[in-house]
């Protein structure tokens, strides 16, 4: 059972209150009909699936109800940080340097 | 029985309180505070069971939860039988029944022991080699034989009547293990004001201190210091002490699972008390002070009853006041066993000799041994033991360099062995913390940590009470400081400490044919040293492969005693150093854990949530048969008298088509979509157009995933310009709301619209049938129900039977129909009023099965039954539900994907069997040509199939490749023993023009 | 629903059902909060978990744009009429969706720990949270040091109630 920081509640809370919601920063195209079949396929199905740092979405479904984003390591399962939906993708290296 | 091996006045058991239990039917007397093992030993009983493979006689080896041999069946009353209980852990009480295992007809004479004589034919990998041929023998001969012969204990046959509990617990510092290191850590952290949980799997706290009363701490005897320390810990309000509690797993972010044995030690537990409780502890810091586990030595006959770990003998002596024999020989590679010999000698046990495999032994120990009349045999080995059901003598040989000299026998009734100590780092390993081989300690020690934890005491390879106390205090202080607490480092003055060291050995050197030796490594799985060497000879290189090939470490003790011995021998056989070979992976649980503890409260009626509607009680009182739908239970049909399902459903169907039926539709998902942008939002979510839908009207809504496949459907009513009442399928309610929230929050956060689940705010009664209006009209106030004023697909707020209501004119049956939503608290009262009023109109309650038949007769799909996540609106014949003028909606782009527009997709069609009485099986496969060779090309499957009472014949729906182009064709449905024929039709079987709705 | 109280001898915690007056779910943008407050005559706390009380009305902030409003039944119509049509919002009555349990006594934190993984000792008096009790979504309010309310959706109430009673009996045994 992970502990997850909800950026809206500003609290670190147990995993059962949350639901995973797939990779982050995949915006629905503004005009899907303008996309080629290949572009639409990539939007629908192609995901990065990295070993290590993963930008992903969670929802505090049994809490404030908000979707938010997280950076998590897929090997250690550890969260590096969480941030609100709509905020730009943080630069993890810059964050690490700042921390050091 | 007189407990001849109990020493009066010794031990921590209450010798004035006898306890009687039975062992294999015979009454045995122990003392309050005894375990089964200590009580049997007090009575001179070493033989406690037979081994797994060779059925060799076995006695107790250890005094703790690592026990591999003394596994017994325990009965705590009717239904409360448990196999493989560790005799060293089960506390005794009056009337506890204990039985030995793996023996027939009796423990002393066992037929299965024949395996022992033929042991040379049962080597490692035996199963893989022997039972390969002939292949046909496997099912009938080999497997039944193996299953009958193998296994450990017997399974319980009755349902477990016990209760199990679980809780969450939060603390700043969790300390695992209440030996000297754990106690010192808890003291340091507790004194800093931190909330501390200290757990120990034994019935008493103290760990090693319970077995070493002669050490003096801060000027007090060890047990006085222990009592004072526990009293101080108890006096600290933020400290919680938990005994009989095993830490079974260490998970992410300092969550540790604990299994607390609540009542197994009680003769008569209070009614309603849980047997065990699982704790999920979340700790700021964890201190692992689990100590070390003594290693056996590996020599021929090291498994004979009476051969046991030296530390266990010391525990039985000091903690339980039991001597494990009258003549005890010690064989060791470590100083610690020397102290055991001294303690036994001083307690009146004859100790003829200490055999030490080391050439050099500490001179002070040797001198002390001699002063106690113990012969010191340094640089010696043990090459065998004798005795049938109990060790009778030990063969001891001198070793000079590589040469083993001639043996001599020493009579004994106990042989105490010590191969050094293995730091207990199982929990640390659960966290993926790495271990590093420490040549000095001769052990794997903690290296890189992944969690906020400290390891203290023997777990770090430290030896002696003083070192453990000091290290524990340091760990407790470090944990408190890491949490921002102010903590001082405690110091302890320790006298008469027993420090020492030892060497790591593989199997002991012998002068005899090693291939004949039965030198056990894994006692529980009967794995010997030569099995390990054979596995290496046969090509196993990885320690994980050696483990699986030999089953070393795969028994219920998970290799607590055997791991390092197995590794040392495998490394020797491979010609490598131990660290290059490495360890196998430790996984939770640390000790065997009952399924009951893991299930907790979730069994029986509480296995999972059962959701019931406000009308459920009425259905139950009318004898409804229920079915689960998602988490709900729904009335499936209402049998009358001796009716079976088919008869009841036929009657219910007739009633709806000819009079009026009443149906509980409360489980339908309901979402209130409200805000100025509500219509815009629904335009984007659903395939249908919503902008021009007038308030007071409803429309069927179809929801796709972005991939173009059908996700859900339901009727949506527009109440006002900015307020919609959306319904979803019963099972889809939560999923649809989540999907809508996702789009709203992350794709269109600019829209002023909000979603509120109202599924449970409303109870819903569906009144369906030609008499529906006649029934309803007198009950409705504030609304003209005529077809002109309130046509099909209208919605209005009004009063029904005196209750505020949202009334929908909708039909999932093809008949004139209404769905009445009232606040849930009024649901049952509304239902009863409708039932009353309907008596003169032929009202009949119907369930989900009838609802399914009626909708199938109309060709209405059930999402999840006629669709499976790969069905598009086109496949389902629902193209009409797509707003052709809409520029975008969820899934629209996918409807032009190459796969979706390709020819030959499976399409939903109707099927009419050639024999009208034949009802197809749902899920049955469909082929075009029944004469093709097997495996046939399957072109689809039946999704829905029923007896249609309205048509007097069967009907079915199916997904078939290019289905609509096959209309009129005959297809084939192969079933066991016969092949059925059916004609492809449209899906609307009854009233395809919908005339019955226009009344 | 009538209040039913079950107590057990020596029970360190009691479990009762509290009859609901009227409950609404109120949604509006944080930027419109002050307009909503003025219309309702009730402060709308902007921090999740905070509660405000004014007269008989109470607002619990459950999300950045979400409040649970509780009021006496007599004020229900006034609340429905209070918010102007020009204010984009959603006000949905959910009284009938909910069943509220009152849990009280020295063992209340232990009882809740059976089903809730959060550390509830950290929940301050007078605050609330939406969370999960034994897999069931619930809204929890700490009314006093040893008194909480736990609201769940109607159909989940029997499951939750059964477990609460079992837990209360277990706590009474003191094992």
């Amino acid at each position: 059972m992970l502990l997850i920081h909800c950026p809206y509640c500003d609290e670190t809370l147990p995993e059962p209150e949350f639901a995973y919601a797939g990779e982050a920063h995949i915006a629905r195209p503004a005009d899907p009909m303008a996309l080629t079949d290949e572009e639409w396929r990539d939007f629908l199905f192609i995901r990065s699936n990295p070993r290590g740092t993963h930008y992903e979405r969670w929802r505090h479904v049994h809490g404030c109800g908000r979707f938010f984003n997280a950076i998590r390591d897929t090997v250690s399962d550890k969260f590096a940080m969480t941030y609100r939906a709509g905020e730009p993708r943080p630069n993890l290296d810059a964050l690490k340097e700042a921390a050091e | 029985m007189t407990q001849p091996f109990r020493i009066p006045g010794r031990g921590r058991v209450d010798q004035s309180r006898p306890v009687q239990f039975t062992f294999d039917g015979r009454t045995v007397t122990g003392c309050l505070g005894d375990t089964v093992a200590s009580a049997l030993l007090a009575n001179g009983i070493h033989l406690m069971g037979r081994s797994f493979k060779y059925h060799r006689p076995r006695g107790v080896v250890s005094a703790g939860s690592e026990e591999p041999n003394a596994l017994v069946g325990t009965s705590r009353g009717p239904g409360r039988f448990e196999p493989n209980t560790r005799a060293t852990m089960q506390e005794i009480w009056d009337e506890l029944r204990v039985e030995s295992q793996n023996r027939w007809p009796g423990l002393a004479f066992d037929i299965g022991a024949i395996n022992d004589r033929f042991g040379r034919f049962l080597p490692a990998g035996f199963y893989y080699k022997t039972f390969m041929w002939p292949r046909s023998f496997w099912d009938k001969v080999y497997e039944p034989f193996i299953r009958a012969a193998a296994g450990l204990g017997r399974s319980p046959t009755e349902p477990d009547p016990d209760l199990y509990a679980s809780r969450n617990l939060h603390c700043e510092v969790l300390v695992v293990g209440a030996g000297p290191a754990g106690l010192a850590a808890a003291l340091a952290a507790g004194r800093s004001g931190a909330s501390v949980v200290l757990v120990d799997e034994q019935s008493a706290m103290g760990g090693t201190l319970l077995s070493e009363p002669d050490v003096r701490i801060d000027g007090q005897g060890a047990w006085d210091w222990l009592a004072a320390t526990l009293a101080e810990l108890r006096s600290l309000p933020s400290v919680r002490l938990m005994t009989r509690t095993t830490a079974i797993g260490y998970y992410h972010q300092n969550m540790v699972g604990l299994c607390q044995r609540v009542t197994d030690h009680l003769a008569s537990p209070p009614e309603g008390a849980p047997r065990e409780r699982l704790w999920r502890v979340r700790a700021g810091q964890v201190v692992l002070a689990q100590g070390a586990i003594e290693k056996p030595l590996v020599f021929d006959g090291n498994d004979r009853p009476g051969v046991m770990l030296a530390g266990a003998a010391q525990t039985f002596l000091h903690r339980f006041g039991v001597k494990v024999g009258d003549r005890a020989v010690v064989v060791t590679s470590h100083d610690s066993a020397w102290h055991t010999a001294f303690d036994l000698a001083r307690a009146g046990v004859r100790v003829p000799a200490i055999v030490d495999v080391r050439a050099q032994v500490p001179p002070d120990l040797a001198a002390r041994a001699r002063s106690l009349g113990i012969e010191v045999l340094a640089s010696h080995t043990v090459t065998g033991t004798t005795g049938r059901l109990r060790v009778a003598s030990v063969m001891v040989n001198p070793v000079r360099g590589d040469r083993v000299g001639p043996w001599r026998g020493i009579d004994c009734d106990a042989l105490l062995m010590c191969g050094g100590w293995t730091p207990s780092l199982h929990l640390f390993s659960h966290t993926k913390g790495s271990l590093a081989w420490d040549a000095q300690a001769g052990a794997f020690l903690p290296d890189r940590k992944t969690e906020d934890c400290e390891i203290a005491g023997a777990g770090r390879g430290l030896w002696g009470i003083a070192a453990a106390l000091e290290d524990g205090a340091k760990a407790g202080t470090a944990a408190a400081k890491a949490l921002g607490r102010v903590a001082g480092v405690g110091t302890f003055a320790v006298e008469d400490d027993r420090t020492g060291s030892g060497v790591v050995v593989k199997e002991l050197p012998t002068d005899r044919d090693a291939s004949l030796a039965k030198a056990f490594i894994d006692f529980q799985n009967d794995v010997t040293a030569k099995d390990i060497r054979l596995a290496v000879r046969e090509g196993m290189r990885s320690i994980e492969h050696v483990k699986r090939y030999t089953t070393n470490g795969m028994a219920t003790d998970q290799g607590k005693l055997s791991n390092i011995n197995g590794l040392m021998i495998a490394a020797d056989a491979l010609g490598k150093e131990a660290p290059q070979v490495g360890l196998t992976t430790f996984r939770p649980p640390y000790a065997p854990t009952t399924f009951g503890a893991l299930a907790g409260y979730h069994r029986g009626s509480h296995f999972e949530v059962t959701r019931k509607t406000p009308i459920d009680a009425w259905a139950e009182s009318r004898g409804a048969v229920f079915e689960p739908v998602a988490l709900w239970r729904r009335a499936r049909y209402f049998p009358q008298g001796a009716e079976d399902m088919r008869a009841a459903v036929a009657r219910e169907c007739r009633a709806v088509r000819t009079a009026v039926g009443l149906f509980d539709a409360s489980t339908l998902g309901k979402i209130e979509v409200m805000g100025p942008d509500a219509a815009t939002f629904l335009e984007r979510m659903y395939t249908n157009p919503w902008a021009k839908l007038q308030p007071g009207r409803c429309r069927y809504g179809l929801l796709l995933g972005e991939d173009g496949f059908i996700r859900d459907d339901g009727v949506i009513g527009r109440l006002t310009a900015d307020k919609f009442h959306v319904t979803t399928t019963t099972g889809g309610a939560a999923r649809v709301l989540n999907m809508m929230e996702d789009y709203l929050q992350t794709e269109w956060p600019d829209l002023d619209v909000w979603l509120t689940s109202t599924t449970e705010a409303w109870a819903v009664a569906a009144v369906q049938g030609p008499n529906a209006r006649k029934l309803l009209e007198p009950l409705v106030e504030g609304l003209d129900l005529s077809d002109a004023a309130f046509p099909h697909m209208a919605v209005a707020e009004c009063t029904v039977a005196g209750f505020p209501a949202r009334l929908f004119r909708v039909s999932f049956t093809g008949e004139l129909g209404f769905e009445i939503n009232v606040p849930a608290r009024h649901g049952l009262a509304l239902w009863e009023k409708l039932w009353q009023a309907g008596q003169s109109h032929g009202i009949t309650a119907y369930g989900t099965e009838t609802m399914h038949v009626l909708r199938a007769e109309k060709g209405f799909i059930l999402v999840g039954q006629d669709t499976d996540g790969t069905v598009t609106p086109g496949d389902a014949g629902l193209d009409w539900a797509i707003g052709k003028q809409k520029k975008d909606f969820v899934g629209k782009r996918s409807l032009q994907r190459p796969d979706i527009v390709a020819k030959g997709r499976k399409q939903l069609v109707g099927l009419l069997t050639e024999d009208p009485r034949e009802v197809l099986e749902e899920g049955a496969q469909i082929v075009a040509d029944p004469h093709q060779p097997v495996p046939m090309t399957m072109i689809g499957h039946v999704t829905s199939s029923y007896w249609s009472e309205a048509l007097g014949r069967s009907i079915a729906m199916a997904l078939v490749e290019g289905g609509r182009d096959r209309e009129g064709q005959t297809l084939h449905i192969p079933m066991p023993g016969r092949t059925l024929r059916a004609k492809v039709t449209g899906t609307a079987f009854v009233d395809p023009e919908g005339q019955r709705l226009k009344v | 629903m009538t209040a039913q109280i079950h107590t057990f001898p020596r029970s360190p915690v009691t479990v009762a059902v509290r009859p609901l007056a009227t409950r609404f779910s109120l949604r509006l943008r944080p930027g419109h909060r002050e307009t909503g407050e003025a219309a309702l005559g009730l402060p709308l706390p902007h921090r999740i978990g905070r509660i405000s009380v004014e007269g008989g009305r109470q607002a619990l902030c459950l999300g950045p744009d979400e409040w649970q409003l509780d009021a006496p039944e007599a004020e229900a119509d006034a609340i429905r009429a209070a918010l102007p049509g020009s204010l984009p919002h959603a006000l949905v009555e959910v009284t009938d969706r909910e069943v509220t349990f009152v849990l009280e006594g020295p063992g209340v934190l232990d009882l809740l720990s059976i089903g809730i993984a959060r550390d509830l000792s950290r929940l301050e008096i007078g605050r609330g949270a939406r969370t999960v009790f034994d897999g069931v979504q619930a809204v929890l309010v700490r009314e006093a040091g040893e008194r909480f309310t736990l609201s769940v959706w109607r159909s989940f109430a029997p499951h939750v109630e059964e477990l609460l009673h079992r837990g209360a009996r277990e706590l009474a045994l003191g094992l």
Side-chain angles (χ1 to χ4, degrees), chain B residues 428-452:
Chain B
F428 177 72
S429 297
H430 294 173
T431 68
K432 294 277 175 195
S434 63
L435 303 178
W437 179 257
D438 185 297
Q440 178 78 30
F444 283 98
L445 297 182
D447 187 20
R448 189 182 43 80
K449 293 191 282 193
T450 66
E451 295 282 345
D452 293 328

Side-chain angles (χ1 to χ4, degrees), chain C residues 3-79:
Chain C
Q4 290 178 301
I5 298 180
H6 307 271
T7 53
F8 300 92
R10 299 180 290 114
S11 179
V13 56
T14 59
V15 178
V17 174
R18 175 179 291 177
L20 262 192
T22 301
R23 177 166 289 173
F24 292 96
S25 168
L26 171 65
R27 308 291 298 274
L28 48 77
R29 287 188 182 275
H32 294 142
R33 201 164 49 87
E34 285 175 16
T35 316
E37 289 178 335
L40 290 164
L42 173 69
L44 296 173
H46 72 284
R47 293 275 305 273
I48 294 166
R50 304 293 171 104
I51 293 172
S52 66
V53 181
E54 190 65 54
R57 298 180 184 182
Q58 175 183 303
L60 162 60
C61 181
L62 288 174
D65 63 351
E66 181 180 4
W67 292 266
Q68 174 184 292
L69 298 186
D70 285 332
E73 208 171 337
E75 293 183 29
D77 286 339
I79 288 176

Side-chain angles (χ1 to χ4, degrees), chain A residues 1-4 14-15 21 26-37 40 43-45 57 59 61 65-67 76-79 85, chain B residues 168 251-253 255 280 282 450-451 684 706-707 734 737-739 741-743 745-748 887-894 896-898:
Chain A
M1 187 177 14
L2 298 169
L3 292 173
I4 301 171
E15 190 181 338
I26 299 172
R28 186 174 192 269
D31 183 5
M33 301 308 283
L35 266 57
T36 65
D37 285 341
W40 185 248
F43 163 71
L44 278 183
F45 301 123
R57 306 191 316 144
R59 184 182 180 203
V61 59
R66 294 289 105 183
F67 284 85
S76 70
D77 277 351
K78 286 190 174 167
F79 284 90
Chain B
N168 294 286
Y251 306 92
H252 285 301
Q253 286 166 299
M255 199 188 89
R280 291 179 200 85
R282 185 75 71 173
T450 66
E451 295 282 345
R684 296 184 189 180
E706 205 66 271
D707 53 15
L737 183 59
N738 189 67
M739 178 176 166
E741 281 287 350
D742 193 348
Y743 278 92
Q745 289 183 31
T746 66
E747 300 293 352
W748 310 314
K887 282 168 65 185
D888 191 15
F889 56 80
V890 172
K892 179 177 169 71
R893 174 64 183 82
S894 284
Q896 292 178 13
R897 281 172 52 214

Side-chain angles (χ1 to χ4, degrees), chain C residues 118-130:
Chain C
R118 278 189 184 219
D119 183 1
L120 292 177
S121 66
R122 283 168 41 205
L123 183 66
E124 290 176 33
I125 295 166
R127 297 211 185 147
R130 188 155 46 201

Side-chain angles (χ1 to χ4, degrees), chain B residues 242-264:
Chain B
M242 297 169 74
T243 53
R244 300 186 180 92
T245 303
T246 306
I248 57 172
Y250 191 157
Y251 306 92
H252 285 301
Q253 286 166 299
N254 270 2
M255 199 188 89
V256 178
L258 309 176
C259 182
Q260 179 186 21
R261 299 181 301 284
V262 183
T263 58
D264 271 5

